[in-house]
Amino acid sequence: MSLALNDLLICCRQLEHDRATERRKEVEKFKRLIRDPETVQHLDRHSDSKQGKYLNWDAVFRFLQKYIQKETECLRTAKPNVSASTQTSRQKKMQEISSLVRYFIKCANKRAPRLKCHELLNYIMDTVKDSSNGVIYGADCSNILLKDILSVRKYWCEISQQQWLELFSVYFRLYLKPSQEINRVLVARIIHAVTKGCCSQTDGLNSKFLDSFSKAVQYARQEKSSAGLGHILAALIIFLKSLAVNFRIQVCELGDEILPTLLYVWTQHRSNDSLKEVIIELFQLQIYIHHPKGAKIQEKGAYESIKWRSILYNLYELLVNEINQIGSRGKYSSGSRNIAVKENLIELMADVCHQVFNEDTRSLEISQSYTTSQRESRDYSTPCKRRKIELGWEVIKDYLQKSQNDFDLVPWLQITTQLISKYPASLPNCEISPLLMILYQLLPQQRHGERTPYVLRCLIEVALCQGKKSNIESSQKSDLVKLWIKIWSITLRGISTEQMQTENFGLLGAIIEGNLVEVDREFWKLFTGSACKPSGPSVCCLTLALTNSVVPETVKKGTEQNIYDVNRSFTLKESIMRWLLFYQLEDDLEDNTELPPILQSNFPHLILEKILVSLTMKNCKAVMNLFQSAPECEQHRKGKEEPSFSEVEQLFLQTTFDKMDFLTIVEECAVEKYQSSIGFSVHQNLKESLDRYLLGLSERLLNSYSSEITNSEILVRCSSLLVGVLGCYCYTGIVSEEEAHKSELFQKAKSLMQCAGESISLFKNKTSEESRICTLRNMIHLCISCLCNCTKQNPSKIVSVFFLRLLTSKLMNDIAEICKSLASFIRKPLDHGEVDSMNDDTDENLKEVEDLSSMDLFKDYPVDSVSDASDSGESQSTVGAMNPLAEEYLSKQDLLLLDMLKFLCMCVTSSQANPVSFRAADIRRKLLMLIDSSILDPTKSLHLHMYLVLLKELPGKEHPLPMEDVVELLKPLSSVCSLHRRDQDVCKTILNHVLPIVTNLSQGNMDTEHTRDAQGQFLTVIGAFWHLTKEKKCTFSVRIALVKCLKTLLEADPYSKWAILNVMGKDFPVNEVFPQFLADEHHQVRMLAAESINRLFQDMKGGDCSRLLKALPYNLQQTAFENAYLKAQEGLREVSHSAENAELLDEIYNRKSVLLMMIAAVLYCSPICEKQALFALCKSVKENGLEPHLVKKVLEKVSETFGYRNLEDFMASHLDYLVLEWLNLQDTEYSLSSFPFILLNYTNVEDFYRSCYKVLIPHLVIRSCFDEVKSIANQIQEDWKSLLIDCFPKILVNILPYFAYEGVGDSRMAQQRENATKVYDMLKGENLLGKQGFGSCS
């Protein structure tokens, strides 16, 4: 042992000295030694080596704890009745002791977290739980917990579920403890962080913890201060989001219980905006859970209760008052104030309006129960305050008319806009005209124009809403047309106001899209004059006009004549082209230095090119419609980002079978071909003019080019414009690809890209200049937008092929070099040191993937190998420890690097099927070198991001990677997963990013060494995750990602020839593993497995096209159905035994939905198992308690999809088989009277017998069940013999096949033949039909 460590060891032992003065001396020495560089170095090394025989930080911490115990014991046993000064000195002593602990932890973890998590947690929990330790110890320990443990990612990942739950329980007890000494805000912050940690690192808190939150909210009603309540509610939101998936009913019931209290809290703390924000979010969440996707009634998936309706009405009234008060405050406040209300409040109000507005109810009397005290609310004799509230569109119209003040008016315009936008059906036809009239009257009332954008946005939504309605009466329609014409005129005049061009063009586009007004010549003038410049909104509006209207030849120029060439008259189409390209008088083209707006900002993908090309065509409208109907690739698909809870809302609707995605009919694959056969023709002179304009534009850029001054973004935009036009011409069949490549436009595009490439060469030596980084990043984004990896034939794909040919070898190699340079220079702005990732032996083991089983892969390597960017940092804005994949860790250079990697990957992938000017194999090799073990350090956030980008973007769907490259790409996967195995967020992300590589594993020769190697590496990782799942070490989000991986493996290898997981030395084919997730503990995992079950019945290798789907062999399908059915039932039966437990109602309902979903998916996708699946449904109604109304809802949709007229016809077509199997069960409980006839839409057994006796009786007769035949006859009041005569042909059909059987050795068939003979003889007997009757029947 070194001298420095020896001194520290002696000092630590002296800390246990009996004399206080000696201990005091040693403490000062101790503080000096633990910051001594040599001592620190030795302690770090010993802690990292994990060798317990040397003194390390953990050992020192144990000595320190003994010292604290000794000092604490001395203070505890000291005389209690002492003077105030002695009491003060004791408190000071306690503060010194407590601060020493924090000082030690800071010293130990300064470079990286080296103290063991469980040691720290045990110390903190023991201290906090021991009430004798006092407030000072507890507060300091709580600070340590919040700032030195929960903010450190390593510790965050090491805390077990049991520890999370214990932390939650301890701190919630503290929060609910009525004590002035407790810092409630600190405790609430810890509860917030612990809840987040528990819900992200485990499967979350149990539903029993709802009671703690309920108590906390009820407690808030009695408090005058709202200290800490915001954090408690924020924690509750996290908890509810996690819990709602599995316990929707309980979460709704909690909402019904606590929301009235929150309404009261809102009224008491009006000035606390931050608390209101959290309450709004909580109300919004409860509305999403009660009414997924806006569902209003239970039959459509809503959860309803009388109490909830009351809460909604009270919330509605409160929000109306709040919005009006916001308006009043704005009206009378001094200085400038935003007239708009925050979007979250508007969205909540719109959601509430959607629920409470009813065409039949204009006003309602409600009880304001939330205004009563808690004592009064328990006393039912105390009457609640009652008030009358106004409801419906009348309220909105009144508020839009009652005041001319913008502060009063704008919030209601916002609400109206949001309500119609989100719920178009909520606007009744009869309300469109009155609302439109009000908005029309508001439109010209512009003083300063502050309200006008809001009026225009509202009109846009009304226009879009009306355009979707097909049932408006003709008389009303004519009134609406008159109004829209007036609005159209005002909007056209308003275009000159630059600040509102977005809204004005948006409204014109919405009117055109809905065919509400005929496009007039005044409209076309907008795109030929100087009233406005080309912009995103203007070209989108122009696109809609070209798609829906015919362009006239000319328009009257009037005062705009000065913009045209006086020596030549242009057609309207050419004038629009010139306006787009910013061409004015021809004689000043060369002198004009102002660049067209279309080169200075980004426009929607290919929108300009489509407009320009369609303007040169004779049938402009048809060509634009062709472009608009072309299949859109995923990369360029526009779409509003789904709210974070949207996926859970969809799950609720799937669980109630109001959304059945598995029944979506797969699109037939259109035969890909060029559109030349359509026969479009071009105006040659217009095409030549367009070529001339584009060439002139590119010439101007090239002539003025300077490598130091010219913006590379503009060069790329112009280049992409040229190839975009060529690509659109190719798509319409006007030019061929060969002609396009030889064209002058293509050569100019090449020259422009070469100039743009020079800026990249210059950047190689100036990688730290921020302005260049931003410019270069924008340029790379533009290049990425020009590429397309989709398999559909569309203009984007053709343009992508052209753009690839512009990329020179130098450009690609320069970008690859910059990537290497940026990757080697790591910036870690939030990092506080790091440790060696693993010891040498571990590193070597991880590299030898082929020698690993999945058990070796994820064994307990030390987690402190993962460095943490917030190891000892503290962030007020971040709750808990930050995800290592958070963008906050990345500098601007890092983001540029990741963009460049994505661009290179896309180029390499796309180039495999297209001629290019660079060597794709070389670029691919350079990319793979970045993840070589000598360079890649997955403990670094940037390198982890790099690897994820390569995993996702490098493997191509249409043109897979060479298998040797797949092997290289997969090499780091096991070590990266092992390193981050406890970080659930990282594991989930990795599994989601490996999906594209699966298709590559099934390509080419399956017997090559590279293929086997790649498959082995991948399956080892998947097997390890599956094993961790079985050991309950993976959260539901990781399991969902794992199910997606298994689903993709089944698509790649439907027969599971190579998709076999080896766990603990045993082989498990993926098609056997997959059904096990039907019994998972988490509902979302089970539902994903259930709706994806078709992968076990269909060969999906052909893609998603229905005509390419092939049924798997009979025996595989039979086995798959049996396994899936058993597994889904197994999960249900586990919880059904405790059906009386109210907490399990959610679980039972959810598992029934999974069983129904699985059977329904099989019924839909497998003709082989169709009858079995249908019988399983019938059986499960009786055996497993499936809700008949849900089963009917599913069967009605299935029968409709299959082309049956109704459910009855579908069920009747299978009834013969269903009855046969039902009776074959030979169980007294499975008599015909117990058959679930409700599924055939029969309300009672008599109707069932009366309608279906011809199917039922033959099956009873062959079993000699004549008593049951008589019973049927009695119930339908018919003679049983006449029923036999009626059914005789069918009876004979059932009997005769057995007489034809002459085989030997099959005892079962022999017995059935004997039974058939007996039945035949009985029927011939005089007691039944007799010979004469028998002869007449036959």
Side-chain angles (χ1 to χ4, degrees):
M1 185 183 292
S2 70
L3 288 173
L5 280 188
N6 192 52
D7 288 347
L8 179 60
L9 181 59
I10 293 167
C11 177
C12 286
R13 286 173 177 159
Q14 288 299 313
L15 287 173
E16 298 178 55
H17 203 284
D18 289 336
R19 292 173 62 183
T21 51
E22 290 299 320
R23 291 198 302 272
R24 198 176 301 118
K25 285 181 196 172
E26 293 302 323
V27 164
E28 293 306 315
K29 186 179 177 183
F30 177 81
K31 286 159 79 173
R32 178 176 52 79
L33 285 171
I34 60 172
R35 64 174 183 266
D36 172 64
E38 186 185 350
T39 309
V40 167
Q41 188 179 0
H42 285 299
L43 288 172
D44 282 355
R45 191 168 66 250
H46 293 162
S47 294
D48 295 342
S49 67
K50 306 295 176 189
Q51 294 182 9
K53 59 183 179 179
Y54 297 116
L55 189 67
N56 58 23
W57 287 110
D58 289 316
V60 176
F61 186 47
R62 284 191 287 274
F63 279 116
L64 181 60
Q65 287 181 72
K66 287 178 184 176
Y67 161 75
I68 293 164
Q69 286 169 4
K70 197 167 192 74
E71 292 289 356
T72 306
E73 190 60 34
C74 290
L75 289 168
R76 190 180 290 126
T77 54
K79 292 179 183 178
N81 301 322
V82 290
S83 65
S85 61
T86 307
Q87 199 73 5
T88 304
S89 64
R90 284 180 183 175
Q91 286 188 349
K92 188 180 177 184
K93 178 68 177 174
M94 290 180 76
Q95 284 174 340
E96 287 173 1
I97 294 168
S98 194
S99 62
L100 177 61
V101 177
R102 182 139 198 220
Y103 179 76
F104 171 77
I105 292 170
K106 289 282 185 189
C107 289
N109 287 347
K110 188 175 182 181
R111 294 148 306 284
R114 287 188 166 87
L115 289 170
K116 284 187 181 137
C117 179
H118 69 88
E119 295 259 1
L120 286 170
L121 275 182
N122 288 342
Y123 167 73
I124 286 167
M125 295 299 283
D126 291 343
T127 306
V128 172
K129 283 193 278 188
D130 188 349
S131 58
S132 63
N133 283 327
V135 178
I136 294 171
Y137 277 7
D140 274 352
C141 279
S142 296
N143 269 308
I144 290 169
L145 176 65
L146 186 66
K147 298 172 183 177
D148 298 302
I149 297 177
L150 295 179
S151 65
V152 179
R153 193 71 183 186
K154 169 186 179 287
Y155 294 152
W156 183 265
C157 297
E158 279 188 337
I159 299 173
S160 68
Q161 182 167 14
Q162 188 56 43
Q163 288 170 323
W164 284 118
L165 296 179
E166 191 179 359
L167 282 168
F168 184 86
S169 299
V170 167
Y171 278 93
F172 233 116
R173 277 200 298 273
L174 281 176
Y175 184 81
L176 295 173
K177 186 178 175 182
S179 169
Q180 295 299 317
E181 297 176 331
I182 293 172
N183 182 342
R184 291 170 64 76
V185 176
L186 174 61
V187 173
R189 285 180 65 198
I190 289 171
I191 291 171
H192 189 181
V194 167
T195 306
K196 183 182 177 184
C198 192
C199 292
S200 65
Q201 277 299 114
T202 74
D203 267 347
L205 298 163
N206 193 287
S207 59
K208 66 182 180 183
F209 288 102
L210 283 172
D211 191 46
S212 300
F213 284 106
S214 179
K215 286 177 184 174
V217 173
Q218 299 301 342
Y219 187 74
R221 190 182 187 111
Q222 304 160 18
E223 292 185 307
K224 291 181 180 178
S225 166
S226 62
L229 183 59
H231 286 290
I232 294 295
L233 295 181
L236 177 57
I237 289 167
I238 293 170
F239 182 31
L240 294 185
K241 284 181 177 179
S242 167
L243 195 69
V245 174
N246 289 314
F247 299 98
R248 183 188 176 195
I249 297 171
Q250 287 188 58
V251 169
C252 287
E253 287 173 350
L254 176 83
D256 295 355
E257 181 187 339
I258 68 168
L259 294 187
T261 303
L262 291 179
L263 289 171
Y264 176 80
V265 170
W266 180 293
T267 59
Q268 298 305 303
H269 300 283
R270 284 194 180 278
S271 59
N272 191 336
D273 286 342
S274 61
L275 181 59
K276 280 184 183 176
E277 290 287 308
V278 185
I279 293 176
I280 287 170
E281 190 180 351
L282 184 53
F283 271 112
Q284 189 77 74
L285 179 63
Q286 280 288 337
I287 286 177
Y288 289 154
I289 298 170
H290 278 81
H291 304 281
K293 299 294 181 184
K296 292 185 79 166
I297 56 173
Q298 200 159 337
E299 289 72 22
K300 294 293 183 183
Y303 178 87
E304 291 185 302
S305 70
I306 296 170
K307 198 170 184 180
W308 173 249
R309 294 306 297 176
S310 172
I311 290 169
L312 280 177
Y313 290 128
N314 279 291
L315 176 58
Y316 168 77
E317 186 191 29
L318 183 141
L319 291 176
V320 169
N321 294 335
E322 178 72 16
I323 287 163
N324 290 337
Q325 283 182 9
I326 290 171
S328 300
R329 288 200 294 270
K331 217 173 355 181
Y332 300 114
S333 64
S334 58
S336 62
R337 186 182 174 99
N338 192 348
I339 61 171
V341 175
K342 284 186 176 180
E343 282 301 316
N344 59 350
L345 186 60
I346 294 300
E347 189 173 351
L348 176 61
M349 183 60 175
D351 288 336
V352 172
C353 287
H354 174 61
Q355 294 302 327
V356 301
F357 281 11
N358 187 321
E359 287 186 58
D360 303 326
T361 310
R362 297 298 172 92
S363 64
L364 192 73
E365 197 175 66
I366 63 165
S367 301
Q368 286 184 308
S369 55
Y370 68 88
T371 58
T372 60
S373 70
Q374 199 167 23
R375 183 181 56 78
E376 288 171 338
S377 66
R378 291 201 189 99
D379 183 7
Y380 295 102
S381 62
T382 307
C384 296
K385 292 182 183 178
R386 295 187 72 81
R387 284 176 61 87
K388 189 176 181 182
I389 58 169
E390 301 298 321
L391 297 168
W393 282 92
E394 288 297 326
V395 175
I396 288 179
K397 289 185 293 184
D398 286 347
Y399 277 111
L400 291 177
Q401 293 176 95
K402 70 162 56 169
S403 172
Q404 292 304 306
N405 187 285
D406 286 350
F407 285 104
D408 292 328
L409 190 60
V410 167
W412 287 97
L413 284 168
Q414 288 177 277
I415 291 164
T416 312
T417 304
Q418 177 71 17
L419 180 56
I420 301 171
S421 170
K422 196 169 182 182
Y423 307 108
S426 67
L427 179 62
N429 290 359
C430 61
E431 295 291 356
I432 297 176
S433 287
L435 179 62
L436 196 59
M437 176 60 78
I438 294 167
L439 294 172
Y440 163 66
Q441 289 166 351
L442 289 172
L443 200 52
Q445 297 174 9
Q446 315 176 21
R447 291 190 300 276
H448 305 293
E450 285 188 333
R451 79 170 61 156
T452 309
Y454 298 97
V455 177
L456 290 168
R457 286 172 204 151
C458 195
L459 282 165
I460 289 170
E461 296 305 332
V462 174
L464 293 172
C465 176
Q466 187 187 324
K468 292 170 187 170
K469 291 181 182 285
S470 55
N471 57 344
I472 298 175
E473 293 177 9
S474 55
S475 58
Q476 187 188 0
K477 199 174 280 186
S478 61
D479 293 338
L480 286 168
V481 169
K482 292 171 187 172
L483 274 174
W484 281 119
I485 289 171
K486 293 175 183 176
I487 292 167
W488 174 269
S489 301
I490 295 171
T491 310
L492 283 177
R493 292 197 299 273
I495 290 292
S496 56
T497 310
E498 196 171 335
Q499 297 91 330
M500 285 181 283
Q501 278 190 3
T502 299
E503 288 80 9
N504 278 312
F505 274 118
L507 178 53
L508 292 176
I511 293 170
I512 293 167
E513 191 176 348
N515 290 312
L516 307 179
V517 168
E518 292 245 350
V519 175
D520 56 14
R521 291 179 179 271
E522 290 301 313
F523 171 81
W524 295 111
K525 285 182 185 179
L526 295 175
F527 308 102
T528 60
S530 56
C532 62
K533 293 179 180 179
S535 62
S538 64
V539 296
C540 286
C541 179
L542 178 57
T543 300
L544 288 166
L546 293 173
T547 307
N548 291 277
S549 309
V550 176
V551 184
E553 282 300 309
T554 58
V555 291
K556 189 176 179 182
K557 298 170 188 173
T559 57
E560 300 291 338
Q561 188 167 0
N562 64 313
I563 69 161
Y564 299 115
D565 181 1
V566 292
N567 298 318
R568 182 181 172 196
S569 177
F570 297 109
T571 63
L572 176 57
K573 288 181 178 180
E574 188 166 356
S575 298
I576 295 172
M577 284 194 295
R578 291 170 62 83
W579 173 81
L580 279 169
L581 298 171
F582 216 54
Y583 269 63
Q584 297 176 3
L585 293 175
E586 293 225 2
D587 53 5
D588 68 356
L589 284 179
E590 294 180 7
D591 301 325
N592 186 12
T593 56
E594 188 179 357
L595 286 170
I598 60 170
L599 296 184
Q600 297 183 61
S601 59
N602 294 329
F603 285 75
H605 182 63
L606 289 185
I607 192 168
L608 294 166
E609 294 85 341
K610 290 172 181 175
I611 291 172
L612 290 169
V613 168
S614 65
L615 287 170
T616 66
M617 309 296 280
K618 289 181 178 175
N619 192 342
C620 176
K621 181 180 174 182
V623 173
M624 188 52 84
N625 275 287
L626 170 72
F627 288 143
Q628 297 300 88
S629 62
E632 199 173 10
C633 64
E634 206 169 311
Q635 183 187 338
H636 297 114
R637 189 176 294 138
K638 291 181 295 184
K640 208 173 178 181
E641 195 174 329
E642 287 284 313
S644 60
F645 202 68
S646 178
E647 197 176 332
V648 179
E649 288 181 84
Q650 289 181 19
L651 179 70
F652 292 152
L653 294 177
Q654 287 172 338
T655 304
T656 58
F657 294 89
D658 292 292
K659 183 177 171 58
M660 293 184 242
D661 290 336
F662 69 94
L663 288 179
T664 305
I665 300 172
V666 187
E667 290 180 10
E668 287 286 343
C669 291
V671 179
E672 291 186 354
K673 58 182 178 181
Y674 281 113
Q675 306 294 328
S676 54
S677 59
I678 295 173
F680 291 117
S681 52
V682 67
H683 279 294
Q684 199 58 40
N685 59 334
L686 286 176
K687 182 178 180 301
E688 288 170 4
S689 295
L690 177 58
D691 289 353
R692 187 172 68 254
Y693 296 147
L694 291 172
L695 289 171
L697 195 59
S698 53
E699 280 292 344
R700 276 173 57 200
L701 282 177
L702 291 169
N703 291 338
S704 61
Y705 170 71
S706 164
S707 59
E708 291 290 340
I709 299 170
T710 305
N711 189 330
S712 56
E713 292 175 59
I714 291 171
L715 298 172
V716 174
R717 276 198 197 97
C718 189
S719 181
S720 67
L721 178 65
L722 300 184
V723 292
V725 167
L726 289 171
C728 288
Y729 273 131
C730 279
Y731 188 71
T732 56
I734 298 301
V735 298
S736 66
E737 285 194 32
E738 291 74 17
E739 290 169 336
H741 293 148
K742 293 174 184 174
S743 68
E744 201 173 345
L745 285 179
F746 190 78
Q747 300 312 313
K748 291 293 181 194
K750 251 186 170 179
S751 302
L752 289 164
M753 279 305 293
Q754 283 172 354
C755 293
E758 288 184 27
S759 66
I760 289 176
S761 299
L762 288 170
F763 179 76
K764 282 198 294 184
N765 303 318
K766 300 177 181 180
T767 55
S768 59
E769 288 186 23
E770 193 166 316
S771 59
R772 284 184 182 271
I773 291 170
C774 293
T775 302
L776 197 51
R777 196 167 173 220
N778 290 338
M779 174 188 159
I780 295 295
H781 282 163
L782 284 170
C783 291
I784 289 172
S785 71
C786 294
L787 296 173
C788 166
N789 274 335
C790 76
T791 55
K792 296 169 182 174
Q793 190 65 35
N794 56 23
S796 295
K797 187 169 184 180
I798 299 171
V799 172
S800 177
V801 172
F802 288 170
F803 189 79
L804 273 173
R805 295 188 72 160
L806 304 178
L807 305 175
T808 63
S809 182
K810 184 178 187 316
L811 172 76
M812 298 296 285
N813 283 296
D814 283 348
I815 294 176
E817 282 182 42
I818 291 172
C819 286
K820 185 178 179 182
S821 170
L822 292 174
S824 61
F825 180 60
I826 305 294
R827 290 151 299 280
K828 299 200 294 177
L830 302 175
D831 227 358
H832 295 272
E834 57 196 79
V835 291
D836 295 332
S837 60
M838 292 184 184
N839 60 47
D840 293 339
D841 293 340
T842 304
D843 278 337
E844 288 304 314
N845 289 339
L846 281 170
K847 288 171 190 172
E848 297 170 10
V849 179
E850 62 275 7
D851 296 332
L852 286 171
S853 75
S854 54
M855 294 311 93
D856 299 322
L857 179 63
F858 286 2
K859 68 183 181 183
D860 271 345
Y861 296 124
V863 176
D864 45 328
S865 55
V866 185
S867 70
D868 191 280
S870 57
D871 289 341
S872 54
E874 177 188 345
S875 171
Q876 294 293 330
S877 61
T878 304
V879 178
M882 205 185 291
N883 186 334
L885 292 170
E887 200 169 295
E888 286 86 342
Y889 290 138
L890 301 175
S891 66
K892 289 181 179 177
Q893 286 101 322
D894 296 339
L895 294 169
L896 172 62
L897 164 61
L898 297 176
D899 289 335
M900 285 182 156
L901 282 178
K902 182 178 179 180
F903 171 65
L904 290 177
C905 288
M906 290 185 74
C907 291
V908 166
T909 305
S910 304
S911 67
Q912 292 186 64
N914 303 296
V916 289
S917 304
F918 58 89
R919 290 173 61 87
D922 288 351
I923 302 300
R924 197 163 54 238
R925 181 175 48 79
K926 289 181 178 181
L927 287 171
L928 291 170
M929 279 175 65
L930 294 174
I931 57 171
D932 185 79
S933 58
S934 62
I935 297 174
L936 185 72
D937 181 2
T939 64
K940 308 289 192 300
S941 179
L942 173 61
H943 282 203
L944 186 55
H945 273 286
M946 274 169 39
Y947 186 49
L948 289 172
V949 169
L950 293 178
L951 273 178
K952 186 179 180 182
E953 302 295 343
L954 201 52
K957 286 184 182 177
E958 196 174 14
H959 305 288
L961 282 175
M963 200 53 76
E964 56 270 26
D965 289 342
V966 175
V967 172
E968 291 301 313
L969 185 58
L970 286 172
K971 269 185 182 176
L973 184 61
S974 59
S975 59
V976 171
C977 290
S978 177
L979 193 64
H980 296 280
R981 74 197 173 283
R982 290 189 186 175
D983 196 317
Q984 302 296 313
D985 292 329
V986 175
C987 288
K988 173 189 71 176
T989 308
I990 291 171
L991 286 173
N992 284 329
H993 277 66
V994 297
L995 293 177
I997 215 162
V998 177
T999 14
N1000 285 249
L1001 298 175
S1002 62
Q1003 304 292 332
N1005 188 349
M1006 292 288 105
D1007 295 326
T1008 66
E1009 185 181 343
H1010 285 308
T1011 303
R1012 287 194 298 272
D1013 192 7
Q1015 291 170 349
Q1017 289 184 68
F1018 184 79
L1019 292 170
T1020 298
V1021 171
I1022 299 300
F1025 272 113
W1026 183 50
H1027 182 72
L1028 288 177
T1029 293
K1030 294 203 293 181
E1031 291 191 334
K1032 302 186 185 301
K1033 291 182 179 177
C1034 290
T1035 60
F1036 81 93
S1037 59
V1038 176
R1039 300 200 300 276
I1040 286 173
L1042 181 58
V1043 169
K1044 288 176 183 175
C1045 284
L1046 295 175
K1047 185 173 85 169
T1048 315
L1049 275 169
L1050 286 171
E1051 291 168 6
D1053 181 21
Y1055 298 89
S1056 290
K1057 291 179 179 176
W1058 56 266
I1060 299 169
L1061 308 181
N1062 184 283
V1063 179
M1064 304 291 285
K1066 293 182 181 177
D1067 286 343
F1068 297 91
V1070 167
N1071 57 9
E1072 292 177 15
V1073 170
F1074 191 78
Q1076 295 186 27
F1077 287 92
L1078 292 167
D1080 192 88
E1081 291 181 354
H1082 199 273
H1083 183 50
Q1084 198 166 358
V1085 179
R1086 297 193 297 263
M1087 285 296 275
L1088 176 61
E1091 67 180 16
S1092 309
I1093 205 74
N1094 63 321
R1095 271 69 178 175
L1096 297 174
F1097 298 85
Q1098 294 171 315
D1099 186 343
M1100 310 285 285
K1101 281 185 84 171
D1104 292 332
C1105 302
S1106 59
R1107 65 182 177 81
L1108 297 177
L1109 293 181
K1110 191 172 74 174
L1112 291 177
Y1114 177 85
N1115 60 332
L1116 281 181
Q1117 291 200 44
Q1118 286 291 323
T1119 305
F1121 181 69
E1122 287 166 16
N1123 290 343
Y1125 186 44
L1126 284 171
K1127 210 69 196 173
Q1129 284 191 106
E1130 176 190 309
L1132 178 57
R1133 283 170 182 165
E1134 283 175 8
V1135 294
S1136 293
H1137 299 302
S1138 309
E1140 68 283 352
N1141 187 343
E1143 288 185 5
L1144 286 174
L1145 289 178
D1146 279 297
E1147 184 75 0
I1148 292 168
Y1149 183 85
N1150 289 341
R1151 288 189 183 267
K1152 284 179 181 179
S1153 293
V1154 170
L1155 178 61
L1156 178 53
M1157 172 71 77
M1158 184 280 295
I1159 298 173
V1162 175
L1163 175 64
Y1164 172 68
C1165 76
S1166 171
I1168 288 174
C1169 296
E1170 182 180 330
K1171 290 181 183 297
Q1172 280 176 277
L1174 193 55
F1175 178 68
L1177 278 182
C1178 294
K1179 195 178 171 192
S1180 291
V1181 169
K1182 181 171 176 57
E1183 267 187 15
N1184 301 308
L1186 292 191
E1187 303 290 341
H1189 74 276
L1190 283 183
V1191 179
K1192 279 174 65 179
K1193 192 187 281 190
V1194 171
L1195 290 177
E1196 280 167 1
K1197 194 72 180 171
V1198 169
S1199 58
E1200 180 189 326
T1201 309
F1202 283 172
Y1204 287 86
R1205 278 186 313 162
N1206 50 43
L1207 170 62
E1208 292 88 335
D1209 285 359
F1210 173 64
M1211 291 298 289
S1213 68
H1214 292 86
L1215 186 59
D1216 203 41
Y1217 171 82
L1218 296 175
V1219 171
L1220 173 68
E1221 291 299 317
W1222 190 264
L1223 294 174
N1224 280 343
L1225 292 172
Q1226 296 181 345
D1227 190 319
T1228 52
E1229 290 186 12
Y1230 289 87
S1231 63
L1232 277 181
S1233 59
S1234 66
F1235 185 82
F1237 49 80
I1238 193 170
L1239 301 183
L1240 286 84
N1241 271 342
Y1242 296 118
T1243 52
N1244 54 57
V1245 71
E1246 289 81 7
D1247 289 344
F1248 172 50
Y1249 286 163
R1250 190 171 288 107
S1251 300
C1252 303
Y1253 72 85
K1254 287 187 178 180
V1255 176
L1256 306 178
I1257 288 176
H1259 287 290
L1260 294 173
V1261 169
I1262 193 67
R1263 287 171 173 75
S1264 303
C1265 299
F1266 290 100
D1267 288 342
E1268 287 194 46
V1269 174
K1270 291 174 184 176
S1271 174
I1272 290 173
N1274 286 336
Q1275 291 199 54
I1276 63 175
Q1277 299 176 347
E1278 294 281 350
D1279 178 61
W1280 71 284
K1281 289 185 181 180
S1282 54
L1283 290 183
L1284 282 177
I1285 294 169
D1286 211 7
C1287 299
F1288 186 76
K1290 186 73 183 290
I1291 294 170
L1292 210 56
V1293 167
N1294 283 355
I1295 290 174
L1296 290 177
Y1298 295 114
F1299 293 143
Y1301 173 73
E1302 296 179 358
V1304 179
D1306 190 338
S1307 58
R1308 181 172 163 274
M1309 282 299 293
Q1311 181 64 46
Q1312 287 178 338
R1313 182 175 180 177
E1314 187 180 333
N1315 287 345
T1317 305
K1318 285 180 183 177
V1319 168
Y1320 183 76
D1321 292 341
M1322 286 176 72
L1323 289 172
K1324 280 173 62 179
E1326 291 300 324
N1327 291 334
L1328 291 179
L1329 299 179
K1331 287 184 180 179
Q1332 188 176 353
F1334 193 85
S1336 63
C1337 289
S1338 54

